[in-house]
Amino acid sequence: MLNHTIKNVQANSSNVMTELDEEFDGLYSILDEMKGTMTNTIQQEEARKIQALQNQLSQCSNALESSEELLELAAQSLDIKDPVEFSKAARQIKDRVTMASAFRISLKPKVSDSMTHLMVDFSLERRILQAVKFLPVPKAPEIDLAACLVADNCVTVSWRMPEEDNRIDHFVLEYRKTNFDGLPRVKDEQCWELVDYIKTTEYTLSGLKFDTKYMNFRVQACNKAVAGEYSDPVTLETKAFVFNLDNTSSHLNLKVEDTYVEWDPTGGKGQEKVKGKENKGRSGTPSPKRTSVSSRSLMRGSRDRFTGESYTVLGDTAIESGQHYWEVRAQKDCKSYSVGVAYKNLGKFDQLGKTNSSWCIHINNWLQTTFSAKHNNKARTLDIPAPDRIGVYCDFDGGQLTFYNANSKQLLYTFRTKFTQPLLPGFMVWCGGLTVSTGLQVPSAVKTLQKSENGLSGSAGSLNNVTQ
């Protein structure tokens, strides 16, 4: 192991030196490019000034030649004896002097010979380069547990750096689900899931299914080159009600798969036992769903299937305390279905809402659409449109069962009673299918409505006698 570590040190050192050479080569390249650009600027300025001075010099040379010619003419005119001719020559010389360009040009250079405006001062850059050091490893962030929020099946994680570090480029958040409180455990734990390139010090995970009691979180900071250590992990509670549909006790006219139930017009034919043997399909293999018995069902004791016109299936996990929430979505062409809860002793011929041990809301789309709440064979018509997705809130200890429009969180109906036995989620479906969403927290909107509803007393009427 030590020899392997030595080799890794050597290999990593070589890689870092290669990267260092590349960084310096890049810096040299930038400096060479800048030097070429600035040199070109100086040369262009030099050429511009020289051209301007040469043009001025040429003008002065031409003016000087013209002046020399005029002086020679003036010297010759001095030898003229005739006064009239002398005056005429003097007048011509005067006119030429007046018109001569030499007397109109400036002898001052048009451009300065100074080039100081193209000088550079690298003192600041020199100090910066002299201060170049190896990039420090970012320190571990600190998760602010008080600022973290778990609500509506979303988790918001907030963190901060122990000290300001302007070199940090992004953060990495890792999380995993667990059923253990406290620090993460090595054994029997799920792998970390990663969210990369987070630019802020807060992140929200949304649309989660809370199928475990807790979630572990940790964060690390990264600069352009290296990632720092992970923060101390924190554990947030994410309890929610999780269950599947119990296919071992469902009506034979229902096809059940975990959280989906669908009307089966074949009536379970071909799935019944023949002469004590398990029924087999055309391929000769047993049906994986119909012939198996779940461990949870065995733990609570087996029972006969629902039969007759009780096209019912129950959940496989009982509610014995606390507040729970789940949602149900019906297929668009579903003719009739019920959603509610029931005691475990619901008879195999019993229909949801037609006994004193079950409560539900029922939607009938057969001949005309009806929407009603049912309990103990009594029904109350609800004068509101039936939503396509229904939320069910059960407060076992508070004796409350409430149904909501899962999309808008509009209150549909509330049963109030004292539950005396463990409850099971119950579903009835005829000509259609239902999809059940579990692992959901009680939505914050529902909690708000519950606070206001607890101060009122009449959203449901009285289907539960005086305990309603």
Side-chain angles (χ1 to χ4, degrees), residues 144-157:
D144 185 359
L145 196 57
C148 296
L149 178 65
V150 181
D152 298 323
N153 282 78
C154 299
V155 178
T156 298
V157 184

Side-chain angles (χ1 to χ4, degrees), residues 27-290:
L27 188 60
Y28 297 152
S29 176
I30 293 174
L31 289 173
D32 285 340
E33 183 179 352
M34 291 181 62
K35 179 181 178 181
T37 301
M38 298 177 79
T39 299
N40 186 48
T41 301
I42 294 174
Q43 291 173 344
Q44 290 178 353
E45 181 70 1
E46 176 190 14
R48 185 187 69 80
K49 286 192 171 186
I50 288 176
Q51 183 64 43
L53 291 171
Q54 285 179 340
N55 292 338
Q56 189 177 6
L57 180 61
S58 177
Q59 292 176 358
C60 289
S61 298
N62 293 335
L64 181 60
E65 291 178 2
S66 177
S67 299
E68 289 177 346
E69 180 183 351
L70 186 58
L71 286 173
E72 184 178 354
L73 178 61
Q76 294 175 358
S77 300
L78 292 175
D79 296 333
I80 298 175
K81 303 301 182 181
D82 185 358
V84 176
E85 291 295 328
F86 182 81
S87 298
K88 183 179 179 180
R91 196 177 300 112
Q92 291 178 349
I93 292 173
K94 177 186 176 183
D95 293 340
R96 291 187 62 179
V97 169
T98 304
M99 300 297 295
S101 60
F103 297 96
R104 295 196 303 271
I105 65 174
S106 172
L107 298 181
K108 182 180 180 181
K110 291 183 178 181
V111 295
S112 170
D113 60 354
S114 174
M115 298 290 283
T116 55
H117 63 289
L118 295 177
M119 296 295 291
V120 293
D121 179 11
F122 283 119
S123 57
L124 176 61
E125 288 76 8
R126 187 176 294 108
R127 287 195 298 270
I128 293 175
L129 289 173
Q130 289 172 344
V132 171
K133 299 178 181 178
F134 291 109
L135 199 60
V137 178
K139 294 187 176 181
E142 298 173 352
I143 296 181
D144 185 359
L145 196 57
C148 296
L149 178 65
V150 181
D152 298 323
N153 282 78
C154 299
V155 178
T156 298
V157 184
S158 180
W159 60 89
R160 57 176 174 265
M161 294 300 296
E163 58 186 45
E164 186 177 355
D165 187 349
N166 55 14
R167 294 185 179 89
I168 291 177
D169 178 68
H170 65 275
F171 297 93
V172 176
L173 171 67
E174 290 191 349
Y175 66 95
R176 64 182 176 185
K177 298 178 179 181
T178 178
N179 283 316
F180 301 104
D181 192 4
L183 296 177
R185 305 184 181 192
V186 177
K187 187 178 180 181
D188 300 327
E189 287 288 0
Q190 299 183 25
C191 296
W192 290 99
E193 297 187 57
L194 181 143
V195 181
D196 204 352
Y197 295 104
I198 302 173
K199 293 295 186 177
T200 61
T201 56
E202 183 178 279
Y203 190 81
T204 298
L205 293 166
S206 59
L208 298 172
K209 181 177 181 179
F210 288 163
D211 47 6
T212 59
K213 295 180 180 179
Y214 304 95
M215 289 181 70
N216 301 136
F217 297 90
R218 64 183 185 182
V219 184
Q220 66 177 166
C222 307
N223 54 33
K224 293 290 186 181
V226 65
E229 294 293 328
Y230 280 101
S231 65
D232 291 334
V234 300
T235 301
L236 300 179
E237 188 175 16
T238 57
K239 290 193 300 183
F241 186 41
V242 182
F243 65 91
N244 288 325
L245 302 179
D246 183 11
N247 67 300
T248 63
S249 63
S250 66
H251 194 287
L252 284 175
N253 277 96
L254 300 182
K255 180 181 178 182
V256 177
E257 294 182 3
D258 294 336
T259 57
Y260 179 74
V261 54
E262 184 178 22
W263 166 260
D264 182 6
T266 64
K269 292 180 180 179
Q271 297 178 1
E272 299 174 351
K273 296 181 181 179
V274 180
K275 295 182 181 180
K277 296 183 179 180
E278 296 288 339
N279 169 64
K280 297 184 179 181
R282 294 180 181 179
S283 63
T285 58
S287 170
K289 291 290 182 183
R290 296 295 181 182

